[in-house]
Amino acid sequence: MPDAAQTPTPDAPRARLASLSGLDRVRGMRDGTLPGPPIGETLGFRIAEAEAGRVVVEAVPGPAHANTTGQPHGGWYGAVLDTCMACAVLTTVPAGSSYTTLEYRVNVTRPVPLGTRVRAEGLVQHAGRSTGVARGEIRGAEDGILYATGSTTCLIMSAG
């Protein structure tokens, strides 16, 4: 699902990234002017929308993402939700700052059928100087069916 423009380069210039606000970084990943998260290519997702405090990731689970029962592995839901929620937090940090996920929680309400396009939306609930909190949902892109919910706390830190 990700396009070639989102394939990361080994050395994205750190100085350039540090000079950008978090919102500009996430918009760059969305637009393909900055490398997206490498895991997106592996797990079939990409950043589709980005605004202050909100990020949408589009994803399609395939057979390579299945567990032993033929449904998407719980780690797939976790990675997709972690990306939309943590990137939503990233949109709130100023230039010279970064983040890392401190903890996240995922609740799968029903399995996503393999091959189904979904949208995972992350929304910031708190954006402070040292922490950010967000919630997220994975829903069917065509029908809006709720597949999973999540929450995260991120640590905000200096990029230097």
Side-chain angles (χ1 to χ4, degrees), residues 105-132:
R105 180 181 173 118
V106 173
N107 293 295
V108 178
T109 59
R110 68 183 66 187
V112 175
L114 297 181
T116 300
R117 189 169 65 89
V118 297
R119 290 172 53 87
E121 181 178 33
L123 296 168
V124 171
Q125 296 178 301
H126 166 75
R129 287 184 311 209
S130 60
T131 60

Side-chain angles (χ1 to χ4, degrees), residues 21-139:
S21 70
L23 179 57
D24 288 339
R25 289 172 63 183
V26 177
R27 284 180 173 162
M29 289 185 277
R30 175 200 64 197
D31 298 341
T33 58
L34 291 173
I39 196 168
E41 186 172 332
T42 302
L43 296 183
F45 68 78
R46 68 178 185 82
I47 296 172
E49 297 176 28
E51 59 190 70
R54 179 179 171 271
V55 169
V56 174
V57 169
E58 291 186 344
V60 178
H65 310 124
N67 60 21
T68 56
T69 65
Q71 300 170 351
H73 188 279
W76 181 85
Y77 296 93
V80 172
L81 281 166
D82 184 41
T83 299
C84 74
M85 295 183 302
C87 284
V89 170
L90 180 58
T91 67
T92 69
V93 305
S97 296
S98 192
Y99 78 97
T100 190
T101 300
L102 202 55
E103 64 86 24
Y104 73 97
R105 180 181 173 118
V106 173
N107 293 295
V108 178
T109 59
R110 68 183 66 187
V112 175
L114 297 181
T116 300
R117 189 169 65 89
V118 297
R119 290 172 53 87
E121 181 178 33
L123 296 168
V124 171
Q125 296 178 301
H126 166 75
R129 287 184 311 209
S130 60
T131 60
V133 177
R135 63 183 172 84
E137 294 183 342
I138 297 177
R139 291 186 174 270

